[in-house]
Amino acid sequence: MQYWCLQMLIPRLKDGGMKNVGSLLKWECVIQVWYFLFFLYPNNHDDGDVEGLMEATALHDTHKVFFDCFEDYENCIKGVKDEEGSSVYNSPNLKGKLHTYISAQKLHKKCRDRLGAGDWLFDRPEYWNLDIVALQALKDFFAENLK
């Protein structure tokens, strides 16, 4: 997909800051046209996010015990209510669940260090399946545009 983006750039006046905004807008605005490609998660046409894709790649069958236990944990904390019937605790978001999933794995120091540096270990097939259909649109986008 190709998109055109218009962006108005308002340069600052050297000797007046934004004090003369009226004249700045009237005389010194520059409209530039930028061309760039982008991909919207999960597949460039449906609503979603990167965490949804990450969850789809997690090995639910292999790590069924983890996901079953995490679901029990979520249900437990959702069930704790105050006197007015409102939840006392927030349930973790999907990113928190996925971080807990990968952090809970028995990792060697080198992998744990990578994880601590923000590497989610996507190159480790024992935790993630990157050959799922849900990733195909993203793979196609990369293949077409990162040459």
Side-chain angles (χ1 to χ4, degrees):
M1 297 180 149
Q2 298 179 357
Y3 298 92
W4 290 92
C5 178
L6 291 176
Q7 179 168 348
M8 182 181 289
L9 301 176
I10 306 173
R12 284 188 181 268
L13 293 173
K14 288 183 183 175
D15 60 340
M18 296 304 282
K19 176 168 109 173
N20 299 317
V21 173
S23 65
L24 176 68
L25 290 173
K26 192 172 185 180
W27 302 106
E28 297 191 36
C29 279
V30 176
I31 296 180
Q32 294 188 4
V33 177
W34 290 337
Y35 169 76
F36 63 94
L37 298 167
F38 63 91
F39 183 90
L40 299 173
Y41 294 112
N43 55 17
N44 224 12
H45 58 80
D46 292 329
D47 287 340
D49 52 31
V50 70
E51 288 84 1
L53 278 178
M54 289 171 66
E55 183 182 36
T57 68
L59 298 179
H60 289 263
D61 292 340
T62 304
H63 301 283
K64 183 176 179 2
V65 172
F66 170 84
F67 288 103
D68 289 348
C69 288
F70 199 90
E71 184 178 343
D72 290 346
Y73 160 71
E74 286 178 308
N75 290 332
C76 181
I77 63 171
K78 285 178 189 174
V80 179
K81 308 286 184 187
D82 63 16
E83 294 168 355
E84 288 92 37
S86 298
S87 293
V88 173
Y89 301 108
N90 292 321
S91 181
N93 62 17
L94 187 51
K95 184 175 183 176
K97 176 181 181 178
L98 294 167
H99 189 269
T100 303
Y101 163 68
I102 195 64
S103 296
Q105 304 303 324
K106 193 169 186 175
L107 302 171
H108 296 293
K109 181 176 177 1
K110 184 177 178 183
C111 285
R112 181 119 350 247
D113 290 347
R114 286 176 52 199
L115 181 61
D119 182 341
W120 286 70
L121 308 174
F122 288 118
D123 61 333
R124 303 293 300 267
E126 62 269 35
Y127 309 123
W128 310 102
N129 177 8
L130 301 183
D131 293 322
I132 61 169
V133 173
L135 286 176
Q136 195 57 51
L138 181 59
K139 288 178 179 183
D140 293 345
F141 177 84
F142 286 154
E144 185 177 321
N145 297 294
L146 297 179
K147 297 177 183 173

